[in-house]
Amino acid sequence: MTAIRPGLCSVTFRALAPERIIELAADAGLEAIEWGGDVHVPPGDTVRAAQVAKATTDAGLAVASYGSYFRSGVDEQLAPVLDSAEALGADRIRIWAGSVGSDEATGDDWAAVVERLQAAASEAGARGIGLALEFHSGTLADTAPTTLRLLDDVADPGLSTYWQPTVAASVDTVIGEYRALAARTSAAHVFSWWPAKERLPLRARDSLWTRFFAEAKAVADPPRDALLEFVPGDDPELLAGEAAALRAYLGQPG
């Protein structure tokens, strides 16, 4: 069984330079970084992407993925995103399934996103890059059933999904969502928000993360990456403790 890599989303520390984020991640014993496309590695800036890639690997870390803000719009260009991912050395790009929640989406909304995702998956696949949906409110991938429907409608093996705990949902609910998506999940965003969007330490929801990682490690093809996303107060000083908790859930030595 492939081990799940502990990593970090760079958007956790949007205000910090990539070089500082790399230092923090390495010191915390993490193994990979998902680089965000909003600040740290802008789409189309391949020079910056190559610089960040080198700095990441020089520190002994892997590039987990490219966290893009491609929204699967009809006229939205994927090429700049692919260019940066390629220069970054990322073989997976996180994308978004439109800008409308599934409960508000019309048939035309669904058809447009499916068609755009099919084209995007083909374009990315031609470069050896996979795409993965952000499992998130305000998109068509906002519930497990709609995410599965979208993956089935697109019907491209290069398209997977991320998983993260639905905000304000119970432990039983979010574990059920993961079970439904497990076979199609390539990465997890790891954070403890409770009861709504209050950012807590991971251990504050120990019952959730203990169960999640037991489930994730038991599937035939577990998520490749478990990526810390956000820490209380956006405080870099808390990363070491959060990383230690994540590694413990994964059964790694402290």
Side-chain angles (χ1 to χ4, degrees):
M1 180 183 296
T2 303
I4 302 171
R5 294 188 301 192
L8 174 70
C9 296
S10 76
V11 297
T12 302
F13 302 118
R14 282 189 170 97
L16 300 183
E19 293 77 10
R20 178 58 178 147
I21 293 171
I22 291 167
E23 181 181 31
L24 287 167
D27 288 347
L30 297 174
E31 297 177 15
I33 299 176
E34 174 177 281
W35 287 106
D38 55 347
V39 175
H40 299 123
V41 182
D45 188 347
T46 57
V47 172
R48 185 56 174 152
Q51 291 170 340
V52 170
K54 185 177 187 304
T56 303
T57 57
D58 283 353
L61 302 174
V63 172
S65 44
Y66 183 46
S68 85
Y69 292 87
F70 177 78
R71 285 274 178 175
S72 308
V74 174
D75 298 320
E76 194 176 0
Q77 296 300 306
L78 184 63
V81 174
L82 290 171
D83 290 343
S84 285
E86 205 166 44
L88 194 57
D91 63 358
R92 181 182 64 217
I93 301 172
R94 184 204 64 189
I95 61 171
W96 299 67
S99 303
V100 178
S102 62
D103 59 345
E104 301 175 6
T106 66
D108 287 344
D109 291 329
W110 270 95
V113 170
V114 168
E115 183 177 0
R116 187 66 189 95
L117 284 175
Q118 287 173 330
S122 177
E123 187 178 357
R127 301 207 203 183
I129 297 173
L131 303 180
L133 301 171
E134 174 86 356
F135 181 58
H136 202 283
S137 60
T139 73
L140 297 185
D142 55 3
T143 70
T146 59
T147 302
L148 290 172
R149 173 186 167 186
L150 196 56
L151 290 168
D152 288 342
D153 286 354
V154 174
D156 190 302
L159 180 66
S160 62
T161 187
Y162 279 40
W163 173 88
Q164 64 186 34
T166 297
V167 173
S170 69
V171 171
D172 285 344
T173 295
V174 299
I175 293 300
E177 290 174 334
Y178 174 67
R179 285 176 179 162
L181 296 173
R184 317 287 282 275
T185 299
S186 57
H189 281 165
V190 180
F191 56 83
S192 288
W193 290 11
W194 192 259
K197 294 185 178 181
E198 294 83 358
R199 297 180 183 181
L200 306 177
L202 284 188
R203 289 294 190 184
R205 301 200 75 192
D206 193 63
S207 59
L208 162 60
W209 293 115
T210 298
R211 287 180 61 186
F212 167 74
F213 283 109
E215 295 272 348
K217 288 186 285 187
V219 300
D221 189 16
R224 183 176 69 183
D225 300 301
L227 303 166
L228 290 168
E229 186 180 40
F230 308 119
V231 296
D234 300 332
D235 185 354
E237 296 299 319
L238 298 183
L239 181 61
E242 294 294 270
L246 174 57
R247 297 198 316 274
Y249 289 128
L250 292 171
Q252 296 186 359

